Amino acid sequence: MKITTKGRYGLTITLELAKRIGDGPISLRSIAQDKNLSEHYLEQLIGPLRNAGIVKSIRGAHGGYILNGDPEKITAGDIIRTLEGPIVLVESMEDEEAAQRELWTRMRNAVRDVLDQTTLADLLKHSTDSELSEGYMFYI
């Protein structure tokens, strides 16, 4: 499983909205400028997040987006599944040995557990400690 820029930037958007709860709607332009990301690309990601009920759009001159829920209840798994689809490590396991299928299943479950047990609030605790280290790339 490889988490693409869709999943990574989706987490960036939602973390920024979680950081700014109570500040009113946040524009994608401000997130893009703060994080040096493509605003156009963020616009493509916000639709699925809105459709999934993770974020909410606010119209008007001072509109933008807000997190549609408590950061304690929104998990990294919610965001990754919304933008990346189901969490799978290998496409098909039917023609593999039982021992191999067991390994892939256990690995998939471990990844799922980490994503589903990690909330935006958990990630915010880390970001305030050291402003999320950049430069690490994880491939699963």
Side-chain angles (χ1 to χ4, degrees), residues 10-57:
L11 279 171
T12 298
I13 292 169
T14 54
L15 278 171
E16 287 302 306
L17 296 178
K19 282 180 191 175
R20 301 178 191 183
I21 283 183
D23 293 351
I26 309 299
S27 72
L28 289 182
R29 173 172 286 154
S30 69
I31 295 172
Q33 288 173 342
D34 289 350
K35 298 297 181 178
N36 198 27
L37 303 173
S38 163
E39 180 182 355
H40 179 69
Y41 192 50
L42 298 185
E43 288 170 354
Q44 294 175 28
L45 302 178
I46 203 73
L49 292 170
R50 188 183 64 244
N51 292 339
I54 295 171
V55 301
K56 182 178 177 181
S57 62

Side-chain angles (χ1 to χ4, degrees), residues 1-2 85-91 104 108 111-112 140:
M1 170 185 185
K2 180 178 178 181
I87 298 165
V88 295
L89 295 178
V90 283
E91 293 296 320
W104 305 139
R108 180 203 59 212
V111 170
R112 268 190 203 163
I140 299 172

Side-chain angles (χ1 to χ4, degrees), residues 100-117:
Q100 289 173 294
R101 285 194 307 268
E102 175 64 17
L103 174 63
W104 305 139
T105 300
R106 288 173 56 197
M107 288 175 60
R108 180 203 59 212
N109 292 344
V111 170
R112 268 190 203 163
D113 289 347
V114 168
L115 291 173
D116 290 339
Q117 293 172 14

Side-chain angles (χ1 to χ4, degrees), residues 61-116:
H62 300 288
Y65 296 91
I66 60 172
L67 201 61
N68 190 29
D70 182 352
E72 292 278 346
K73 297 204 176 1
I74 299 171
T75 68
D78 297 331
I79 297 155
I80 297 300
R81 280 188 194 86
T82 297
L83 296 171
E84 302 277 359
I87 298 165
V88 295
L89 295 178
V90 283
E91 293 296 320
S92 176
M93 296 189 291
E94 292 100 30
D95 53 345
E96 297 203 14
E97 296 289 329
Q100 289 173 294
R101 285 194 307 268
E102 175 64 17
L103 174 63
W104 305 139
T105 300
R106 288 173 56 197
M107 288 175 60
R108 180 203 59 212
N109 292 344
V111 170
R112 268 190 203 163
D113 289 347
V114 168
L115 291 173
D116 290 339

